[in-house]
Amino acid sequence: MKNTGTPALASGKGSKRARIVLHIGLVTLTAPMMIQANEASTSTAAGAVKAGSRNYSIAKQPLYSALSAFAEQAGIQFAYNAEMVKSLSSPGVQGHYSADAALQQILTGTGIGFRRTGPNTVTLEPNKSVKKPDAAPVVAAKKPPVDNSVFELGQMTVPSTPSGTLQSRDILSSVDIMNADKIENQNVLTSYDLFHRMPGVQITQFNQGTTTGKFSFRGFNGEGNINGVKLLIDGIPSNTNDGNMPFIDALFPLEIESIEVVRGTNDPRYGLHAIAGNANIFTRQGGNYAKGRVSYGSFDTHDVQTGLGYETGGFSQNYSVSYRATNGYRDHASSEKNGFSGKWFYTPESEKYKVGLIARWSDADAEEPGYLTLAQARANPTQSMPHNATDGGTRQVGQISGHLEVNVTDDLFWSTKSYANVFDDQRWVRYSAAESQQERLTNEVQYGGTTSLTYRPTISWLNDFSLETGFDIQQQDNKSRRYRNLNRIRTSQVRDQDFSFNVYGGYLQAMIKPFKWLKLTPGFRADTVGGDYTNKLNNQSYAVNDYGAIWQPKMGAVITPIEGYSLYGNWGRTFQVAVGTATFKTNPNPIDVAPSINEGWEVGLKLEPVDWAEGRVAYWQQTATNESSRVLNSANNDSTLIGATDRQGVDVQVKIKPVESVSVWTTYSLQEAIVAQPPSNPALTGTQIFNTPNYLFSGGIDYQITPKLKSSLWTTGQSSYYTDEANAKGKFGEYALLNLDLGYQVNKIVDLQFQVKNLADTYWEYVWYNTTVNQTMHSPGDGRAFYGAINVKYDL
């Protein structure tokens, strides 16, 4: 059966706090067996919740709240349509019952049935065979208090993250979540393109073979100079040593469940690279399904993605195999990429623990069209110059991780992950005709682990309380080689570096809710850095800078004086250390360099005044001491000191649903990033940090034209930016792109899609300043492009 309303999820599983999350979209559910909730039966049929009696105490109340309380007491998760329950009431349940009998009592008189869809997941659906009694009491269910700072796009399903640990939703900062229905049907070259819809996120698109681009936010340069965002995939750290994000290449949209972005300095869970915040990409886990997607479009782009999930007896398996190839918008821009992932998890009948393994691998091969001068780009944006004829590269990325989650007691939850990441990259690149071709070889092996212990006791004089402590470690073994080439034939070697880099960190985070209208989140984090470096060209070895213990206090608060209105604020510190060889004492008279300390604060207002409207506005500031920037084309693989910096901005997000078939969303971010105190050149004081636009925006209109036909017209864009330190070489990079998505549901298994990217055929580009030849270099983005796709999904 199909539901076209707004689904919701209430979760428990060892947590003293249940959650109910509202979201927008289309969800398809199958119902092989239903249990009639208005029958006083204790059937143990296949659809029933797992047996096991206990004492329940849930008062008569709106059904929405009763389900939340039951999820908390029974330790299960609910998936259901929020519109289906919002005007209903429940008689509650008092006494000793099995879980299925208690749930039947709660649903008595509602005409709603339930079935089990996972080891600890229950789906609610209207029971069409039962007429709702006219005499059944109906109580308008009030919307739960908004005591968070989350802005969400799309429908949410059962989350992959353990319910007992601290989650992004608990961080009182600007948290943005985009779910699968806004992700899985997009035609993108790499998954970082999906961030175009995320509020306040800058996308820097190099469009150079395997070096496709990256994302950033909060006024941090997106080119790879200053990498301010921690990337995680299924909770596993996924940045390279310099902070870049090539591990995202291993992901294809069909397997992604959600993307979460936390902006700000007050999240204590992550240290290295989390200067401006973090982004976590979660992939699908559990379920019984088989699905696939085949697409074809402009530039001979063809794409095949497959996914399979099978879950039985507490054991779940998920597999994804995908392939994508294209000739590219520009000449000499063909590429192909494949990826595989597998996930295996086991949860025993007692549900006391969950153990699993995740593995993924991706291989890519691509040509590079190279950069053009301003005149060349304007004359013919699709051309590639003769000196780029042999540019290109290959890239392999792999990740393997072990996961363990344990419900130690009803109040204590333990989670631990161990992992290994592999990154192998070979690239041939020539930036201009006046420069020689470079061959760049990078090999990184990362291994480490994270662990956390979460305590959620019931304290009579507090409305809610939790305490979490965690520790993480990452060790890197890195090799960086660089050669001068002539058409891929080596002529000389200019870099031969081996270095290890180790970071250790721990944190403590509390959530204190003394009243329903007040929540406090004090936290603290500390990190230390170690490692060594050998320059194999001269056989010299160097010690790492002694950064000492890097202390990072945090604090957040939210006040909800009126239902639907929450005022939140936060303050915190994060840190930056130099990357590559700049992490080590390579000067003739070595001295220890202090880390750059970023201190930021934010104040915001989250509004949900009515069921059909939601918004958030925030003002933020962030300052940094002795900030450093990676030197992109340096043979030494080092950094240069920018000095003290100031950043500030305003973020606005709005989402409305004026009628059932239409939803509108828009986001706008105004930002400024300036050099406050340069270390050696006073003339740079007050200049803007290059390649950081002053505003970013995205928005769209989603319209369900008929029950089977839906459409989405959406836009994304940014302002222009300076390309050089002195702000003297002009501003480039402004664009506004319009995109159209159409989807037609043929039946419950098959749907068809048609997409137009860059509908208005707008010229847009990435631009940087090449100091070697003293001119701007331009990489034009794709022109108008058309794509068609067939999606197949079958629930097993």
Side-chain angles (χ1 to χ4, degrees):
M1 62 183 293
K2 279 188 292 184
N3 263 321
T4 58
T6 306
L9 178 78
S11 70
K13 191 181 179 185
S15 170
K16 288 298 181 182
R17 297 185 297 160
R19 304 185 200 285
I20 296 180
V21 183
L22 300 180
H23 28 79
I24 297 172
L26 176 69
V27 60
T28 301
L29 302 174
T30 59
M33 180 170 293
M34 296 291 295
I35 296 178
Q36 296 182 0
N38 65 334
E39 295 180 358
S41 167
T42 56
S43 169
T44 57
V49 180
K50 189 182 68 176
S53 62
R54 57 165 295 169
N55 189 62
Y56 292 93
S57 179
I58 299 175
K60 178 181 177 180
Q61 58 189 293
L63 180 57
Y64 194 96
S65 302
L67 291 170
S68 177
F70 180 76
E72 178 181 326
Q73 294 185 25
I76 66 169
Q77 296 175 319
F78 280 119
Y80 60 88
N81 184 318
E83 295 295 323
M84 177 178 66
V85 305
K86 76 174 185 179
S87 62
L88 300 178
S89 67
S90 168
V93 59
Q94 301 287 336
H96 214 80
Y97 292 91
S98 65
D100 60 323
L103 184 53
Q104 287 165 358
Q105 290 283 335
I106 289 172
L107 295 173
T108 297
T110 64
I112 295 174
F114 64 89
R115 62 187 175 89
R116 185 176 180 183
T117 51
N120 65 314
T121 307
V122 174
T123 296
L124 304 183
E125 297 168 335
N127 192 336
K128 294 182 178 180
S129 65
V130 178
K131 184 178 179 180
K132 180 180 168 184
D134 294 335
V138 177
V139 179
K142 294 183 178 180
K143 206 166 189 177
V146 179
D147 61 354
N148 60 52
S149 53
V150 178
F151 185 80
E152 191 159 5
L153 294 174
Q155 73 176 41
M156 181 181 175
T157 55
V158 179
S160 296
T161 53
S163 60
T165 60
L166 180 67
Q167 298 180 52
S168 297
R169 297 174 183 274
D170 301 314
I171 304 299
L172 299 181
S173 187
S174 291
V175 178
D176 303 297
I177 300 175
M178 183 167 63
N179 294 301
D181 60 321
K182 298 294 183 185
I183 296 172
E184 60 187 2
N185 295 325
Q186 291 299 304
N187 285 289
V188 294
L189 183 61
T190 57
S191 290
Y192 83 88
D193 283 316
L194 298 169
F195 286 81
H196 270 296
R197 292 197 185 199
M198 296 297 285
V201 175
Q202 176 188 349
I203 307 297
T204 303
Q205 298 189 259
F206 306 123
N207 295 314
Q208 298 296 316
T210 57
T211 307
T212 49
K214 64 168 298 182
F215 65 89
S216 62
F217 46 76
R218 289 281 161 103
F220 278 85
N221 177 289
E223 299 177 289
N225 296 66
I226 309 168
N227 295 291
V229 180
K230 178 85 166 185
L231 175 66
L232 302 106
I233 300 175
D234 289 324
I236 300 303
S238 300
N239 297 81
T240 48
N241 174 264
D242 57 12
N244 278 304
M245 305 170 178
F247 290 102
I248 208 171
D249 286 352
L251 300 177
F252 284 75
L254 194 65
E255 69 170 316
I256 296 176
E257 182 178 84
S258 66
I259 297 174
E260 298 182 358
V261 170
V262 180
R263 290 178 286 167
T265 58
N266 70 311
D267 187 347
R269 296 173 298 170
Y270 312 115
L272 182 67
H273 302 310
I275 309 171
N278 60 81
N280 209 328
I281 302 176
F282 294 102
T283 60
R284 295 188 183 275
Q285 186 181 126
N288 291 282
Y289 61 87
K291 60 182 179 179
R293 173 181 171 87
V294 178
S295 68
Y296 183 81
S298 298
F299 326 126
D300 192 27
T301 302
H302 43 288
D303 184 297
V304 179
Q305 301 177 52
T306 64
L308 175 67
Y310 184 65
E311 187 173 357
T312 182
F315 181 63
S316 68
Q317 307 172 67
N318 295 82
Y319 303 94
S320 177
V321 180
S322 302
Y323 173 80
R324 181 179 177 87
T326 180
N327 285 339
Y329 169 68
R330 295 180 58 195
D331 297 336
H332 191 64
S334 64
S335 66
E336 61 177 350
K337 179 177 65 173
N338 55 68
F340 163 82
S341 70
K343 292 192 280 190
W344 304 267
F345 281 82
Y346 175 70
T347 305
E349 187 174 349
S350 66
E351 298 184 0
K352 291 291 291 182
Y353 68 89
K354 180 179 180 181
V355 62
L357 178 71
I358 300 178
R360 58 174 45 92
W361 179 263
S362 176
D363 186 281
D365 191 349
E367 298 174 332
E368 290 195 23
Y371 292 97
L372 305 175
T373 65
L374 174 60
Q376 292 166 347
R378 298 300 186 268
N380 181 5
T382 65
Q383 68 179 319
S384 177
M385 304 310 293
H387 63 263
N388 299 120
T390 58
D391 286 0
T394 61
R395 174 176 292 176
Q396 295 83 38
V397 296
Q399 293 184 302
I400 186 168
S401 57
H403 301 250
L404 176 64
E405 302 160 11
V406 181
N407 292 309
V408 182
T409 68
D410 288 344
D411 298 328
L412 194 62
F413 187 89
W414 177 46
S415 175
T416 189
K417 306 177 184 71
S418 59
Y419 64 91
N421 299 333
V422 176
F423 172 61
D424 280 301
D425 191 76
Q426 183 175 28
R427 182 189 183 195
W428 291 270
V429 57
R430 190 174 180 184
Y431 289 114
S432 69
E435 300 172 84
S436 61
Q437 185 184 61
Q438 301 176 31
E439 179 186 358
R440 300 178 169 185
L441 296 172
T442 304
N443 173 263
E444 295 190 13
V445 178
Q446 305 175 356
Y447 42 94
T450 66
T451 187
S452 65
L453 194 64
T454 309
Y455 182 48
R456 297 180 183 270
T458 300
I459 300 176
S460 60
W461 47 276
L462 288 177
N463 194 268
D464 201 357
F465 176 81
S466 65
L467 184 67
E468 180 170 297
T469 183
F471 177 77
D472 54 83
I473 178 175
Q474 183 178 99
Q475 298 182 319
Q476 301 178 11
D477 290 328
N478 306 316
K479 293 178 171 56
S480 181
R481 312 280 188 265
R482 190 166 292 186
Y483 302 86
R484 289 192 180 95
N485 272 225
L486 179 61
N487 296 324
R488 297 200 179 189
I489 298 175
R490 295 173 181 172
T491 58
S492 62
Q493 186 171 10
V494 295
R495 181 191 296 179
D496 191 356
Q497 300 173 345
D498 285 6
F499 59 98
S500 65
F501 181 81
N502 311 318
V503 60
Y504 313 88
Y507 69 91
L508 183 67
Q509 172 76 61
M511 191 285 291
I512 307 168
K513 195 171 183 180
F515 313 104
K516 287 185 177 180
W517 53 270
L518 176 63
K519 183 191 292 185
L520 305 171
T521 57
F524 177 79
R525 182 177 180 90
D527 289 272
T528 62
V529 172
D532 58 74
Y533 157 52
T534 300
N535 183 347
K536 301 187 74 173
L537 290 181
N538 59 15
N539 290 319
Q540 294 291 313
S541 296
Y542 308 91
V544 71
N545 285 309
D546 185 4
Y547 293 105
I550 307 171
W551 306 102
Q552 304 149 72
K554 322 271 187 177
M555 183 64 191
V558 61
I559 302 172
T560 311
I562 304 173
E563 185 174 316
Y565 298 84
S566 289
L567 179 66
Y568 69 93
N570 60 73
W571 172 89
R573 289 177 179 166
T574 56
F575 76 96
Q576 179 202 32
V577 295
V579 299
T581 62
T583 312
F584 305 90
K585 294 184 283 191
T586 57
N587 295 326
N589 298 308
I591 58 173
D592 291 313
V593 177
S596 173
I597 300 299
N598 287 257
E599 186 171 302
W601 61 270
E602 176 182 25
V603 61
L605 179 64
K606 172 75 179 294
L607 307 94
E608 292 188 44
V610 292
D611 289 341
W612 52 270
E614 177 183 340
R616 187 182 69 197
V617 59
Y619 173 74
W620 58 270
Q621 285 190 358
Q622 190 165 337
T623 60
T625 61
N626 61 303
E627 188 171 288
S628 63
S629 173
R630 186 167 68 96
V631 182
L632 290 180
N633 297 318
S634 166
N636 296 324
N637 188 23
D638 58 8
S639 303
T640 184
L641 195 62
I642 296 177
T645 60
D646 288 338
R647 292 177 171 87
Q648 63 177 333
V650 177
D651 298 324
V652 180
Q653 291 89 34
V654 178
K655 181 173 62 177
I656 62 174
K657 193 176 179 67
V659 295
E660 182 61 31
S661 59
V662 177
S663 61
V664 181
W665 56 277
T666 183
T667 74
Y668 181 83
S669 294
L670 186 67
Q671 61 183 23
E672 180 186 58
I674 64 172
V675 178
Q677 187 177 347
S680 57
N681 187 355
L684 296 179
T685 302
T687 57
Q688 292 190 29
I689 298 175
F690 57 91
N691 286 83
T692 54
N694 290 123
Y695 65 80
L696 307 157
F697 67 88
S698 63
I701 302 174
D702 299 335
Y703 177 35
Q704 190 76 39
I705 303 172
T706 70
K708 290 190 173 183
L709 181 63
K710 61 182 178 180
S711 65
S712 179
L713 184 68
W714 61 283
T715 183
T716 182
Q718 66 180 38
S719 72
S720 59
Y721 49 77
Y722 290 107
T723 59
D724 66 303
E725 290 184 344
N727 298 171
K729 305 300 181 181
K731 300 180 75 173
F732 298 90
E734 182 178 12
Y735 67 84
L737 304 179
L738 188 63
N739 307 285
L740 174 66
D741 300 348
L742 296 173
Y744 182 74
Q745 191 78 36
V746 178
N747 52 48
K748 71 176 184 179
I749 296 177
V750 178
D751 70 89
L752 306 177
Q753 290 192 318
F754 175 72
Q755 296 183 341
V756 186
K757 306 288 284 292
N758 193 2
L759 182 64
D761 200 23
T762 301
Y763 177 84
W764 61 300
E765 60 184 352
Y766 159 66
V767 184
W768 64 286
Y769 188 74
N770 189 339
T771 56
T772 302
V773 293
N774 293 317
Q775 61 182 342
T776 54
M777 309 301 297
H778 301 248
S779 178
D782 291 358
R784 184 188 295 117
F786 302 88
Y787 301 94
I790 301 174
N791 299 304
V792 178
K793 182 176 180 181
Y794 181 75
D795 293 314
L796 302 177

